[in-house]
Amino acid sequence: MLRHLITQDSDLRMVPTDRAELTAAVDRLREELLTGPGPDRARVLTRWIGIARMSLGDHDEARTFLRRSLGLAVTSGNVRAVVATELNFGDAHRYAGDVETAETFYRSALDTARSKCPELLDFALQHFGKHLMERGDLAGARAHLQEALRLRIAKGSTELVGSTQAALDRVDVLIGGTGGTG
């Protein structure tokens, strides 16, 4: 929905490609939300508003919208949406410096993906791996990211493989060079 307006910075965090355009897009989504869409559309809108606000650096508002989206996902029984939103909610907490709460959301998403939603396992591993990288657990980060890479290679998605490889490269830089073991 807004993917084209969000990229990653050198720390592999989401940031706007065009701050003004992303802000305008969020305003349009808010307007649509005010029209009283059904619960599925409201879930999608609140999730993307939360992701965009996180990318813009407004972590409090991001968490408010992501909390609403997660509630709608849980109520609807949409396991895929629960996993995806928990990952975004984890990111919002991580970006705000609340690493303990972030870890709770990442672990929940990872456990659910492993047991009920294996098609999202690579995403859960990637987000949790980045979290571990930022926490300084480079060996744990590498293990999670390598598992994500294997799954993404099997999916055949060049873009996803590239994203995971960039995260692994970042882990190697933090370790002190390529080929380190953490």
Side-chain angles (χ1 to χ4, degrees), residues 47 66 69-70 73-74 79-93 101-102 104-113 127:
R47 179 171 173 246
L66 290 167
S69 182
L70 182 58
V74 168
V79 176
R80 286 180 53 89
V82 169
V83 169
T85 308
E86 282 184 331
L87 293 173
N88 299 136
F89 213 0
D91 288 344
H93 282 280
T101 303
T104 299
F105 282 107
Y106 291 135
R107 285 192 185 280
S108 177
L110 185 56
D111 290 346
T112 303
H127 283 256

mmCIF file of all heavy atoms in Angstrom, residues 47 66 69-70 73-74 79-93 101-102 104-113 127:
data_model
loop_
_atom_site.group_PDB
_atom_site.id
_atom_site.type_symbol
_atom_site.label_atom_id
_atom_site.label_comp_id
_atom_site.label_asym_id
_atom_site.label_seq_id
_atom_site.Cartn_x
_atom_site.Cartn_y
_atom_site.Cartn_z
ATOM 1 N N ARG A 47 -2.943 -0.654 10.177
ATOM 2 C CA ARG A 47 -1.593 -1.231 10.113
ATOM 3 C C ARG A 47 -0.676 -0.334 9.278
ATOM 4 O O ARG A 47 0.441 -0.016 9.693
ATOM 5 C CB ARG A 47 -1.643 -2.644 9.523
ATOM 6 C CG ARG A 47 -0.257 -3.274 9.419
ATOM 7 C CD ARG A 47 -0.310 -4.755 9.035
ATOM 8 N NE ARG A 47 1.031 -5.226 8.803
ATOM 9 C CZ ARG A 47 1.493 -5.627 7.624
ATOM 10 N NH1 ARG A 47 0.698 -5.671 6.569
ATOM 11 N NH2 ARG A 47 2.740 -6.017 7.485
ATOM 12 N N LEU A 66 -0.978 0.509 15.450
ATOM 13 C CA LEU A 66 -0.656 -0.911 15.350
ATOM 14 C C LEU A 66 -1.389 -1.720 16.414
ATOM 15 O O LEU A 66 -1.809 -2.850 16.159
ATOM 16 C CB LEU A 66 0.858 -1.125 15.414
ATOM 17 C CG LEU A 66 1.600 -0.630 14.172
ATOM 18 C CD1 LEU A 66 3.103 -0.565 14.434
ATOM 19 C CD2 LEU A 66 1.296 -1.502 12.968
ATOM 20 N N SER A 69 -4.796 -2.199 15.007
ATOM 21 C CA SER A 69 -4.751 -3.175 13.916
ATOM 22 C C SER A 69 -4.608 -4.588 14.463
ATOM 23 O O SER A 69 -5.274 -5.514 13.983
ATOM 24 C CB SER A 69 -3.598 -2.849 12.966
ATOM 25 O OG SER A 69 -3.581 -3.754 11.886
ATOM 26 N N LEU A 70 -3.751 -4.759 15.466
ATOM 27 C CA LEU A 70 -3.557 -6.083 16.052
ATOM 28 C C LEU A 70 -4.853 -6.583 16.700
ATOM 29 O O LEU A 70 -5.213 -7.753 16.542
ATOM 30 C CB LEU A 70 -2.415 -6.057 17.073
ATOM 31 C CG LEU A 70 -2.069 -7.389 17.728
ATOM 32 C CD1 LEU A 70 -1.684 -8.440 16.688
ATOM 33 C CD2 LEU A 70 -0.944 -7.195 18.745
ATOM 34 N N ALA A 73 -7.036 -7.800 14.000
ATOM 35 C CA ALA A 73 -6.537 -9.067 13.446
ATOM 36 C C ALA A 73 -6.889 -10.233 14.367
ATOM 37 O O ALA A 73 -7.339 -11.287 13.908
ATOM 38 C CB ALA A 73 -5.030 -8.993 13.222
ATOM 39 N N VAL A 74 -6.689 -10.039 15.659
ATOM 40 C CA VAL A 74 -6.995 -11.095 16.632
ATOM 41 C C VAL A 74 -8.494 -11.400 16.614
ATOM 42 O O VAL A 74 -8.908 -12.562 16.558
ATOM 43 C CB VAL A 74 -6.514 -10.691 18.045
ATOM 44 C CG1 VAL A 74 -7.075 -11.621 19.101
ATOM 45 C CG2 VAL A 74 -4.988 -10.668 18.097
ATOM 46 N N VAL A 79 -4.757 -15.209 11.249
ATOM 47 C CA VAL A 79 -3.446 -15.526 11.821
ATOM 48 C C VAL A 79 -2.326 -14.827 11.050
ATOM 49 O O VAL A 79 -1.372 -14.320 11.656
ATOM 50 C CB VAL A 79 -3.221 -17.051 11.868
ATOM 51 C CG1 VAL A 79 -1.835 -17.393 12.375
ATOM 52 C CG2 VAL A 79 -4.274 -17.712 12.743
ATOM 53 N N ARG A 80 -2.421 -14.791 9.740
ATOM 54 C CA ARG A 80 -1.405 -14.091 8.938
ATOM 55 C C ARG A 80 -1.302 -12.623 9.349
ATOM 56 O O ARG A 80 -0.216 -12.084 9.498
ATOM 57 C CB ARG A 80 -1.721 -14.189 7.449
ATOM 58 C CG ARG A 80 -1.460 -15.530 6.815
ATOM 59 C CD ARG A 80 -1.819 -15.526 5.327
ATOM 60 N NE ARG A 80 -1.170 -14.447 4.589
ATOM 61 C CZ ARG A 80 0.023 -14.540 4.011
ATOM 62 N NH1 ARG A 80 0.695 -15.668 4.058
ATOM 63 N NH2 ARG A 80 0.538 -13.512 3.381
ATOM 64 N N ALA A 81 -2.456 -11.984 9.521
ATOM 65 C CA ALA A 81 -2.476 -10.575 9.904
ATOM 66 C C ALA A 81 -1.929 -10.383 11.318
ATOM 67 O O ALA A 81 -1.244 -9.389 11.593
ATOM 68 C CB ALA A 81 -3.888 -10.014 9.798
ATOM 69 N N VAL A 82 -2.210 -11.334 12.208
ATOM 70 C CA VAL A 82 -1.675 -11.251 13.570
ATOM 71 C C VAL A 82 -0.152 -11.296 13.526
ATOM 72 O O VAL A 82 0.528 -10.458 14.126
ATOM 73 C CB VAL A 82 -2.238 -12.374 14.472
ATOM 74 C CG1 VAL A 82 -1.483 -12.445 15.802
ATOM 75 C CG2 VAL A 82 -3.722 -12.165 14.720
ATOM 76 N N VAL A 83 0.404 -12.252 12.790
ATOM 77 C CA VAL A 83 1.867 -12.375 12.704
ATOM 78 C C VAL A 83 2.473 -11.107 12.106
ATOM 79 O O VAL A 83 3.417 -10.533 12.662
ATOM 80 C CB VAL A 83 2.272 -13.621 11.889
ATOM 81 C CG1 VAL A 83 3.769 -13.616 11.573
ATOM 82 C CG2 VAL A 83 1.890 -14.898 12.633
ATOM 83 N N ALA A 84 1.939 -10.658 10.986
ATOM 84 C CA ALA A 84 2.487 -9.471 10.319
ATOM 85 C C ALA A 84 2.422 -8.245 11.224
ATOM 86 O O ALA A 84 3.393 -7.476 11.325
ATOM 87 C CB ALA A 84 1.745 -9.217 9.009
ATOM 88 N N THR A 85 1.304 -8.069 11.901
ATOM 89 C CA THR A 85 1.141 -6.887 12.746
ATOM 90 C C THR A 85 2.000 -6.983 13.999
ATOM 91 O O THR A 85 2.552 -5.974 14.450
ATOM 92 C CB THR A 85 -0.345 -6.671 13.091
ATOM 93 O OG1 THR A 85 -1.098 -6.668 11.873
ATOM 94 C CG2 THR A 85 -0.559 -5.343 13.802
ATOM 95 N N GLU A 86 2.145 -8.176 14.561
ATOM 96 C CA GLU A 86 3.044 -8.324 15.715
ATOM 97 C C GLU A 86 4.479 -7.960 15.330
ATOM 98 O O GLU A 86 5.192 -7.340 16.119
ATOM 99 C CB GLU A 86 2.998 -9.749 16.265
ATOM 100 C CG GLU A 86 1.776 -10.023 17.104
ATOM 101 C CD GLU A 86 1.780 -11.406 17.716
ATOM 102 O OE1 GLU A 86 2.370 -12.352 17.148
ATOM 103 O OE2 GLU A 86 1.161 -11.541 18.792
ATOM 104 N N LEU A 87 4.893 -8.317 14.128
ATOM 105 C CA LEU A 87 6.239 -7.956 13.674
ATOM 106 C C LEU A 87 6.378 -6.434 13.577
ATOM 107 O O LEU A 87 7.376 -5.864 14.026
ATOM 108 C CB LEU A 87 6.560 -8.613 12.334
ATOM 109 C CG LEU A 87 6.687 -10.136 12.371
ATOM 110 C CD1 LEU A 87 6.838 -10.690 10.962
ATOM 111 C CD2 LEU A 87 7.850 -10.567 13.260
ATOM 112 N N ASN A 88 5.372 -5.785 12.999
ATOM 113 C CA ASN A 88 5.409 -4.321 12.899
ATOM 114 C C ASN A 88 5.349 -3.673 14.275
ATOM 115 O O ASN A 88 6.047 -2.677 14.533
ATOM 116 C CB ASN A 88 4.250 -3.806 12.051
ATOM 117 C CG ASN A 88 4.269 -4.314 10.633
ATOM 118 O OD1 ASN A 88 3.228 -4.700 10.111
ATOM 119 N ND2 ASN A 88 5.426 -4.345 9.989
ATOM 120 N N PHE A 89 4.526 -4.230 15.162
ATOM 121 C CA PHE A 89 4.417 -3.706 16.528
ATOM 122 C C PHE A 89 5.765 -3.869 17.246
ATOM 123 O O PHE A 89 6.205 -2.977 17.966
ATOM 124 C CB PHE A 89 3.306 -4.440 17.263
ATOM 125 C CG PHE A 89 2.545 -3.633 18.280
ATOM 126 C CD1 PHE A 89 2.832 -2.312 18.542
ATOM 127 C CD2 PHE A 89 1.529 -4.233 18.990
ATOM 128 C CE1 PHE A 89 2.117 -1.591 19.484
ATOM 129 C CE2 PHE A 89 0.806 -3.527 19.941
ATOM 130 C CZ PHE A 89 1.101 -2.198 20.191
ATOM 131 N N GLY A 90 6.416 -5.010 17.034
ATOM 132 C CA GLY A 90 7.751 -5.204 17.589
ATOM 133 C C GLY A 90 8.720 -4.150 17.080
ATOM 134 O O GLY A 90 9.492 -3.571 17.845
ATOM 135 N N ASP A 91 8.660 -3.884 15.771
ATOM 136 C CA ASP A 91 9.524 -2.846 15.195
ATOM 137 C C ASP A 91 9.260 -1.491 15.846
ATOM 138 O O ASP A 91 10.195 -0.760 16.189
ATOM 139 C CB ASP A 91 9.303 -2.723 13.685
ATOM 140 C CG ASP A 91 9.860 -3.890 12.890
ATOM 141 O OD1 ASP A 91 10.687 -4.662 13.420
ATOM 142 O OD2 ASP A 91 9.462 -4.018 11.707
ATOM 143 N N ALA A 92 7.991 -1.136 16.007
ATOM 144 C CA ALA A 92 7.650 0.162 16.597
ATOM 145 C C ALA A 92 8.216 0.286 18.011
ATOM 146 O O ALA A 92 8.729 1.345 18.392
ATOM 147 C CB ALA A 92 6.135 0.370 16.594
ATOM 148 N N HIS A 93 8.147 -0.789 18.773
ATOM 149 C CA HIS A 93 8.721 -0.760 20.124
ATOM 150 C C HIS A 93 10.248 -0.715 20.060
ATOM 151 O O HIS A 93 10.880 0.024 20.824
ATOM 152 C CB HIS A 93 8.243 -1.969 20.936
ATOM 153 C CG HIS A 93 6.855 -1.811 21.443
ATOM 154 N ND1 HIS A 93 6.531 -1.077 22.555
ATOM 155 C CD2 HIS A 93 5.674 -2.274 20.962
ATOM 156 C CE1 HIS A 93 5.229 -1.094 22.754
ATOM 157 N NE2 HIS A 93 4.680 -1.819 21.797
ATOM 158 N N THR A 101 9.629 -5.128 25.278
ATOM 159 C CA THR A 101 8.317 -5.306 24.673
ATOM 160 C C THR A 101 8.465 -5.753 23.226
ATOM 161 O O THR A 101 7.716 -6.625 22.757
ATOM 162 C CB THR A 101 7.493 -4.007 24.760
ATOM 163 O OG1 THR A 101 7.396 -3.619 26.135
ATOM 164 C CG2 THR A 101 6.094 -4.200 24.183
ATOM 165 N N ALA A 102 9.436 -5.188 22.526
ATOM 166 C CA ALA A 102 9.685 -5.596 21.139
ATOM 167 C C ALA A 102 9.951 -7.095 21.077
ATOM 168 O O ALA A 102 9.369 -7.806 20.248
ATOM 169 C CB ALA A 102 10.869 -4.821 20.559
ATOM 170 N N THR A 104 9.012 -9.424 23.077
ATOM 171 C CA THR A 104 7.778 -10.175 23.343
ATOM 172 C C THR A 104 6.970 -10.334 22.053
ATOM 173 O O THR A 104 6.490 -11.431 21.739
ATOM 174 C CB THR A 104 6.942 -9.451 24.415
ATOM 175 O OG1 THR A 104 7.709 -9.392 25.621
ATOM 176 C CG2 THR A 104 5.643 -10.181 24.678
ATOM 177 N N PHE A 105 6.815 -9.252 21.304
ATOM 178 C CA PHE A 105 6.054 -9.326 20.050
ATOM 179 C C PHE A 105 6.764 -10.185 19.006
ATOM 180 O O PHE A 105 6.128 -10.976 18.310
ATOM 181 C CB PHE A 105 5.769 -7.927 19.497
ATOM 182 C CG PHE A 105 4.652 -7.239 20.210
ATOM 183 C CD1 PHE A 105 4.908 -6.189 21.074
ATOM 184 C CD2 PHE A 105 3.334 -7.656 20.038
ATOM 185 C CE1 PHE A 105 3.871 -5.556 21.747
ATOM 186 C CE2 PHE A 105 2.291 -7.029 20.712
ATOM 187 C CZ PHE A 105 2.568 -5.978 21.563
ATOM 188 N N TYR A 106 8.091 -10.034 18.895
ATOM 189 C CA TYR A 106 8.838 -10.840 17.918
ATOM 190 C C TYR A 106 8.740 -12.335 18.243
ATOM 191 O O TYR A 106 8.539 -13.150 17.353
ATOM 192 C CB TYR A 106 10.311 -10.431 17.864
ATOM 193 C CG TYR A 106 10.566 -9.064 17.283
ATOM 194 C CD1 TYR A 106 11.446 -8.193 17.906
ATOM 195 C CD2 TYR A 106 9.970 -8.647 16.101
ATOM 196 C CE1 TYR A 106 11.723 -6.940 17.377
ATOM 197 C CE2 TYR A 106 10.232 -7.397 15.569
ATOM 198 C CZ TYR A 106 11.109 -6.551 16.209
ATOM 199 O OH TYR A 106 11.378 -5.314 15.677
ATOM 200 N N ARG A 107 8.896 -12.671 19.505
ATOM 201 C CA ARG A 107 8.826 -14.094 19.888
ATOM 202 C C ARG A 107 7.440 -14.671 19.628
ATOM 203 O O ARG A 107 7.303 -15.793 19.157
ATOM 204 C CB ARG A 107 9.221 -14.280 21.351
ATOM 205 C CG ARG A 107 10.708 -14.152 21.586
ATOM 206 C CD ARG A 107 11.112 -14.619 22.976
ATOM 207 N NE ARG A 107 12.513 -14.380 23.207
ATOM 208 C CZ ARG A 107 13.500 -15.160 22.763
ATOM 209 N NH1 ARG A 107 13.215 -16.233 22.065
ATOM 210 N NH2 ARG A 107 14.761 -14.860 23.025
ATOM 211 N N SER A 108 6.421 -13.906 19.937
ATOM 212 C CA SER A 108 5.053 -14.362 19.681
ATOM 213 C C SER A 108 4.833 -14.588 18.181
ATOM 214 O O SER A 108 4.291 -15.618 17.768
ATOM 215 C CB SER A 108 4.050 -13.344 20.220
ATOM 216 O OG SER A 108 2.736 -13.755 19.907
ATOM 217 N N ALA A 109 5.263 -13.637 17.371
ATOM 218 C CA ALA A 109 5.108 -13.766 15.917
ATOM 219 C C ALA A 109 5.903 -14.957 15.394
ATOM 220 O O ALA A 109 5.412 -15.720 14.546
ATOM 221 C CB ALA A 109 5.557 -12.483 15.223
ATOM 222 N N LEU A 110 7.108 -15.141 15.900
ATOM 223 C CA LEU A 110 7.953 -16.251 15.459
ATOM 224 C C LEU A 110 7.321 -17.592 15.843
ATOM 225 O O LEU A 110 7.247 -18.510 15.011
ATOM 226 C CB LEU A 110 9.355 -16.118 16.059
ATOM 227 C CG LEU A 110 10.408 -17.120 15.626
ATOM 228 C CD1 LEU A 110 10.593 -17.137 14.110
ATOM 229 C CD2 LEU A 110 11.737 -16.807 16.316
ATOM 230 N N ASP A 111 6.841 -17.702 17.064
ATOM 231 C CA ASP A 111 6.203 -18.946 17.502
ATOM 232 C C ASP A 111 4.961 -19.254 16.667
ATOM 233 O O ASP A 111 4.747 -20.404 16.245
ATOM 234 C CB ASP A 111 5.817 -18.862 18.988
ATOM 235 C CG ASP A 111 7.023 -18.861 19.919
ATOM 236 O OD1 ASP A 111 8.139 -19.192 19.469
ATOM 237 O OD2 ASP A 111 6.836 -18.502 21.105
ATOM 238 N N THR A 112 4.141 -18.242 16.419
ATOM 239 C CA THR A 112 2.926 -18.442 15.627
ATOM 240 C C THR A 112 3.263 -18.792 14.189
ATOM 241 O O THR A 112 2.629 -19.674 13.589
ATOM 242 C CB THR A 112 2.027 -17.197 15.690
ATOM 243 O OG1 THR A 112 1.717 -16.921 17.057
ATOM 244 C CG2 THR A 112 0.734 -17.410 14.914
ATOM 245 N N ALA A 113 4.263 -18.136 13.630
ATOM 246 C CA ALA A 113 4.658 -18.442 12.253
ATOM 247 C C ALA A 113 5.157 -19.885 12.152
ATOM 248 O O ALA A 113 4.796 -20.608 11.216
ATOM 249 C CB ALA A 113 5.735 -17.467 11.770
ATOM 250 N N HIS A 127 12.876 -10.188 11.094
ATOM 251 C CA HIS A 127 12.632 -9.128 12.076
ATOM 252 C C HIS A 127 13.305 -9.452 13.414
ATOM 253 O O HIS A 127 13.934 -8.574 14.011
ATOM 254 C CB HIS A 127 11.127 -8.928 12.281
ATOM 255 C CG HIS A 127 10.464 -8.183 11.181
ATOM 256 N ND1 HIS A 127 10.088 -6.863 11.282
ATOM 257 C CD2 HIS A 127 10.094 -8.573 9.943
ATOM 258 C CE1 HIS A 127 9.522 -6.473 10.161
ATOM 259 N NE2 HIS A 127 9.503 -7.499 9.332
#
